[in-house]
Amino acid sequence: MPDSSAAKMVTQVTAMSRNGISDWLIQRLSALLLAFYTVSLVIWFLMTPSLSYDQWQALFDTSWVQVCALVGLLAACAHAWIGVWTCGSDYLSDHSLGARAVIFRFVYQTTSILILIVYLLWGINILWGT
Amino acid sequence: MKNDSRPINLGFSDLLHFRWPIVALASITHRITGILLFIGIGFGLYGLDMSLSSEAEFRALASILGALPGKIILWLLMSALAYHFVAGIKHLLLDLGIGETLEGGRRAAMVSIFFSLTLIVLAGLWVF
C-alpha cells in the first residue's frame, strides 16, 4: 500500500465520481445544461409578464416539463456537490486546520450531502406528489 | 533544492496574507456565489412548492415577492446567478484555451465582472 493517510482517503471517496477527470466533465456538462435552462427560463418569464396560477399549474402538469425540471434539479445537485466538495477540500485542509481538518470536512460534507438529498426528495415531491 | 517555507495548501490564515489581484477576486466571488446558489436552490424549491400547491399559496408567494424583503432576496439570488453564470462561461472559454495568459486572464476577469454587473443592474430593474 502506498502512503495513504485517513484524510486523503476521505477526500477521495467523497468526490462526486471518485475521479477528478470525470468530476471535471460532470461539472462542465451540468454547467452547460444549467446555463441553457437559465437562459430559457429568463426568456420565458420575460415573455409571460402576467402569469396566472392556472397557466403555471397546467405547465407543471405536463410530463416533459416535470422530466426537464427533475433533470435540471439533478444537474444542479451534481454541480453543487462538486463545487461544495472542491471548496471544502481547499479550505478545510490539514494545512489550515491541522489533524482535526478531517472531522470538519466530514461534518461539512455530510451536512451538504444531506441538504442535497432533501433538495432532490423535495423536488420529486413537488413535481409528482399530490 | 527544497524550500520548506513554501505553502503546501490553502488555508484561511493564508488567504488573509495574500494580495488580491482582480483575477483572484473574480475567482473567489465565483466560489462565494456558488455557495449562495447552493442555499438558493432551497429558496427556489420553497417558491416552486408554494406556487404549485394551491391558488391561494400562489398568490401568497406573489405578494411575498412583491414586498421589499422578498424582492431583495430574489435580486440577491439573481445577482449571484448572473455572476456565477458569466464567470462559468469565462471558465468554459478558458477550458478551450481562450484567455489563458496572465494578461488574458486579467482581461477575462474584467470583462466577466463588467458583464455580470450589467446583468445584475438589469435584474434589479426587472425585480424592483
Side-chain angles (χ1 to χ4, degrees), chain B residues 48-68:
Chain B
L48 187 66
D49 197 1
M50 262 187 107
S51 71
L52 289 172
S53 45
S54 71
E55 178 141 26
E57 291 282 285
F58 181 87
R59 287 185 194 286
L61 177 69
S63 66
I64 288 173
L65 293 177
L68 192 62

Side-chain angles (χ1 to χ4, degrees), chain A residues 24 28 32 35 38-39 42 45-46 51-54 56-57 60 73 76 79-80 84 86-87 89-93 95-96 108 112 115-116 119 122-123 126, chain B residues 7-15 28 31 35 37-43 45-46 48-55 58 81 84-85 89 91-92 95 126:
Chain A
W24 181 91
R28 266 64 180 179
L32 284 173
T38 305
V39 173
V42 168
F45 273 114
L46 282 172
L51 178 66
S52 74
Y53 172 71
D54 293 331
W56 186 243
Q57 172 75 47
F60 276 89
L73 183 60
H79 191 87
V84 158
T86 309
C87 290
S89 45
D90 273 354
Y91 304 125
L92 305 176
S93 65
H95 178 62
S96 61
Y108 168 83
S112 306
I115 293 170
L116 288 169
Y119 282 172
W122 192 7
I126 293 168
Chain B
I8 311 151
N9 205 339
L10 282 177
F12 283 118
S13 50
D14 296 313
L15 293 172
I28 196 73
R31 290 191 157 191
I35 301 285
L37 291 171
F38 172 54
I39 301 161
I41 298 173
F43 282 87
L45 285 170
Y46 183 76
L48 187 66
D49 197 1
M50 262 187 107
S51 71
L52 289 172
S53 45
S54 71
E55 178 141 26
F58 181 87
L81 182 61
H84 203 81
F85 179 95
I89 288 175
H91 247 283
L92 292 173
D95 288 341
W126 191 12

Side-chain angles (χ1 to χ4, degrees), chain B:
Chain B
M1 292 277 217
K2 220 164 175 222
N3 180 358
D4 285 328
S5 64
R6 197 173 55 181
I8 311 151
N9 205 339
L10 282 177
F12 283 118
S13 50
D14 296 313
L15 293 172
L16 299 174
H17 300 135
F18 284 169
R19 284 192 308 117
W20 284 94
I22 190 160
V23 181
L25 275 175
S27 173
I28 196 73
T29 312
H30 196 180
R31 290 191 157 191
I32 292 168
T33 52
I35 301 285
L36 285 175
L37 291 171
F38 172 54
I39 301 161
I41 298 173
F43 282 87
L45 285 170
Y46 183 76
L48 187 66
D49 197 1
M50 262 187 107
S51 71
L52 289 172
S53 45
S54 71
E55 178 141 26
E57 291 282 285
F58 181 87
R59 287 185 194 286
L61 177 69
S63 66
I64 288 173
L65 293 177
L68 192 62
K71 283 184 173 183
I72 290 172
I73 292 173
L74 183 63
W75 180 62
L76 285 176
L77 287 175
M78 285 169 87
S79 301
L81 182 61
Y83 185 87
H84 203 81
F85 179 95
V86 174
I89 288 175
K90 184 193 78 175
H91 247 283
L92 292 173
L93 292 175
L94 288 173
D95 288 341
L96 296 174
I98 299 165
E100 274 183 327
T101 59
L102 178 59
E103 200 35 57
R106 215 175 268 149
R107 208 175 310 125
M110 282 193 283
V111 169
S112 72
I113 288 170
F114 170 78
F115 274 120
S116 47
L117 281 178
T118 309
L119 287 177
I120 287 167
V121 170
L122 288 175
L125 291 173
W126 191 12
V127 171
F128 293 102

